[in-house]
């Protein structure tokens, strides 16, 4: 009778497993496992050992997409806006610099105490002389990053990395009205790729640039062109690092992205900013109506906006090297454009490149 009485609840009440918690735990654990696998692949590649392509199955993609990356990215964005105490700024930013190899000597402001929060640090500006813009070549790199792939578009398929492709039409979306872009008239025999090519004898080219977290986060105009149209695809925010791009087919078609289309002196030109985990925020400086990673979106949809109006028949003119937009952390830029057959890239797959350096020319 002197023993204390312990009151117990039914097991079902004490330990409830809700579907959301199961998905987060399972998906998060699997994402961690994939990260470890990617690390092993990178180590083998450094040793010169090339592994065969092994694509994810449908259930693996579905499991990865079950991780609430959009919610986590919005939380990350809010955390980035929190002002850090002055005494904490240097330790926090120094850890980031050490982890991702950031070169602060290129920053316009090298003093770490100047950046009030992580968002300001990510969007730091560079010294004017840090990135000279190449004047000799017609197309320059719009950002710092790593070249994942480049070349001609063939059979309406684009390579995101070597051996892994995605559909050109799925990526850019349905054909845009001829009022916005000067497409040739569609005919039953023309493929989507042929409809984009406006001049006889031209070819369609592509280039994929991956921005790592330590890279300069702004992107610029890669050439002189006019932006006529913006198409925003709300979607997933899966990682776009080379390991995941090698694993998930049509990764860039799954993820949220902003497609800017227009024309340059040789015809069709497009630049697409692809979102990724913790990079739900994609900003285009001249487009104040764009809001990415919004909780109010419809899966599989897209939103169109035309820069052509009665008062502006030309669209938005962009000069080569001009500031165009920025990411919150790091992500991917995809260029798809029309050019004559003698256009040549001055690149190697896997090379590091910096904004302003040459991509290719005639």
């Amino acid at each position: 009778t002197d023993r204390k009485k312990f009151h117990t609840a039914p097991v079902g009440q004490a330990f409830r497993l809700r579907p959301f918690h199961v998905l987060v735990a399972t998906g998060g654990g699997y994402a961690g496992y994939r990260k470890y696998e990617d690390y092993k692949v990178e180590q083998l590649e450094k040793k010169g050992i090339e592994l065969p392509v092994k694509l994810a199955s449908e259930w693996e993609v579905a499991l990865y997409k079950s991780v609430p990356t959009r919610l986590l990215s919005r939380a990350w964005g809010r955390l980035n806006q929190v002002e850090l105490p002055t005494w904490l700024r240097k330790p926090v930013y120094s850890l980031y610099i050490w982890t991702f190899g950031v070169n602060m000597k290129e920053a316009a402001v090298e003093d770490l105490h100047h950046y009030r929060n992580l968002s300001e640090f990510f969007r730091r500006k560079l010294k004017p002389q840090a990135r000279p813009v190449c004047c000799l070549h017609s197309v320059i790199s719009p950002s710092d990053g790593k070249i994942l792939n480049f070349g001609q578009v063939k059979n309406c398929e684009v390579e995101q990395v070597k051996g892994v492709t995605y559909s050109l039409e799925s990526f850019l979306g349905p054909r845009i009205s001829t009022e916005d872009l000067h497409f040739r008239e569609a005919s039953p025999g023309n493929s989507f790729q042929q409809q984009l090519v406006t001049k006889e004898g031209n070819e369609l080219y592509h280039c994929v640039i991956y921005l790592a977290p330590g890279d300069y986060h702004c992107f610029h105009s890669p050439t002189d062109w006019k932006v006529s149209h913006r198409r925003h695809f709300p979607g997933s925010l899966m990682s776009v690092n080379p390991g995941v791009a090698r694993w998930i087919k049509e990764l860039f078609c799954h993820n949220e992205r902003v497609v800017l289309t227009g024309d340059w002196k040789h015809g069709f030109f497009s630049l697409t900013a692809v979102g990724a985990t913790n990079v739900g925020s994609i900003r285009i400086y001249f487009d104040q109506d764009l809001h990415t990673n919004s909780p109010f979106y419809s899966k599989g949809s897209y939103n169109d906006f035309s820069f052509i109006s009665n008062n502006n028949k030309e669209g938005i003119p962009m000069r080569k090297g001009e500031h165009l937009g920025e990411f919150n952390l790091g992500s991917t830029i995809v260029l798809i454009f029309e050019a004559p057959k003698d256009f040549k890239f001055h690149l190697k797959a896997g090379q590091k490149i910096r904004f302003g350096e040459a991509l290719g020319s005639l």
Side-chain angles (χ1 to χ4, degrees):
T1 57
D2 294 332
R3 294 179 182 175
K4 293 181 179 179
K5 293 181 180 180
F6 291 92
H7 297 276
T8 60
V11 175
Q13 294 181 13
F15 186 69
R16 289 183 180 176
L17 281 178
R18 297 179 181 176
F20 176 77
H21 298 153
V22 173
L23 288 174
V24 171
T26 308
Y30 192 76
Y33 165 74
R34 288 306 316 174
K35 281 283 189 180
Y36 174 67
E37 289 294 309
D38 295 340
Y39 171 76
K40 291 198 299 184
V41 170
E42 288 178 7
Q43 295 305 307
L44 290 173
E45 285 183 342
K46 287 180 180 179
K47 296 178 181 178
I49 303 173
E50 187 171 333
L51 298 177
V53 175
K54 184 181 178 182
L55 294 176
S57 61
E58 290 185 10
W59 73 265
E60 287 178 308
V61 175
L63 185 59
Y64 190 180
K65 292 174 76 173
S66 72
V67 180
T69 51
R70 296 184 64 85
L71 179 62
L72 292 172
S73 297
R74 284 195 291 272
W76 175 255
R78 291 181 181 179
L79 179 63
N80 287 349
Q81 300 293 332
V82 176
E83 185 169 341
L84 297 176
T86 305
W87 62 269
L88 190 57
R89 294 174 188 176
K90 188 170 183 179
V92 170
Y93 301 147
S94 295
L95 178 61
Y96 186 91
I97 291 167
W98 176 80
T99 303
F100 296 108
V102 178
N103 184 4
M104 284 303 293
K105 291 184 179 179
E106 297 177 332
V109 181
E110 296 183 38
D111 182 13
L112 298 180
H113 296 100
H114 169 79
Y115 304 100
R116 294 173 296 176
N117 51 48
L118 283 166
S119 182
E120 285 190 2
F121 179 71
F122 294 147
R123 295 182 286 104
R124 63 191 177 277
K125 303 301 181 185
L126 299 180
K127 293 174 181 174
Q129 67 275 18
R131 296 289 186 276
V133 175
C134 177
C135 299
L136 301 177
H137 297 84
S138 53
V139 184
I140 62 167
S141 176
S143 65
D144 290 5
K146 178 181 180 180
I147 301 295
L148 294 189
N149 216 298
F150 63 92
Q152 281 190 20
V153 177
K154 297 179 180 178
N155 302 319
C156 295
E157 292 281 323
V158 187
E159 282 194 316
Q160 58 192 30
V161 293
K162 186 177 180 181
V164 182
T165 63
Y166 55 93
S167 163
L168 178 65
E169 187 169 4
S170 296
F171 181 70
L172 295 179
R175 186 170 177 266
I176 300 170
S177 169
T178 54
E179 294 179 2
D180 286 351
L181 294 174
H182 304 294
F183 287 129
R184 64 171 61 177
E185 288 299 318
S187 67
N190 279 359
S191 67
F192 183 80
Q193 178 178 338
Q194 292 170 328
Q195 292 173 27
L196 296 182
V197 179
T198 62
K199 298 182 180 179
E200 202 69 40
N202 280 2
E203 298 287 348
L204 207 60
Y205 297 86
H206 74 98
C207 182
V208 183
I209 305 169
Y210 167 68
L211 289 75
D215 288 327
Y216 169 56
H217 291 23
C218 296
F219 50 93
H220 301 245
S221 176
T223 192
D224 295 334
W225 65 307
K226 294 173 183 176
V227 184
S228 306
H229 188 271
R230 179 257 290 161
R231 177 169 282 166
H232 171 218
F233 290 85
S236 300
L237 288 174
M238 295 184 283
S239 171
V240 292
N241 75 55
V244 177
R246 190 184 294 106
W247 179 54
I248 297 180
K249 183 178 175 63
E250 297 206 334
L251 172 65
F252 299 156
C253 298
H254 288 293
N255 272 16
E256 181 164 21
R257 58 197 182 278
V258 177
V259 182
L260 300 178
T261 50
D263 59 275
W264 69 319
K265 60 183 178 181
H266 299 297
F268 173 79
F269 199 96
S270 74
L271 180 149
T272 302
V274 183
T277 308
N278 294 337
V279 198
S281 173
I282 302 172
R283 183 183 174 194
I284 304 298
Y285 295 139
F286 58 76
D287 189 355
Q288 301 302 316
D289 295 323
L290 175 65
H291 300 286
T292 57
N293 196 15
S294 169
F296 308 103
Y297 78 100
S298 177
K299 187 177 181 181
S301 66
Y302 59 85
N303 307 302
D304 282 338
F305 185 85
S306 175
F307 298 109
I308 302 293
S309 64
N310 292 331
N311 298 325
N312 181 10
K313 300 290 186 182
E314 299 295 326
I316 307 295
M318 296 297 301
R319 303 292 298 175
K320 183 168 66 174
E322 186 178 350
H323 277 85
L324 181 54
E326 62 188 36
F327 290 113
N328 189 47
L329 190 58
S331 194
T332 297
I333 295 285
V334 179
L335 301 179
I336 298 175
F337 58 93
E338 172 186 358
K341 291 182 178 179
D342 57 349
F343 181 87
K344 294 188 182 299
F345 285 102
H346 306 288
L347 302 170
K348 292 181 180 179
Q351 79 171 72
K352 291 288 292 181
I353 197 166
R354 304 201 305 175
F355 154 61
E357 295 178 345
L359 283 186
S361 63
L362 297 170

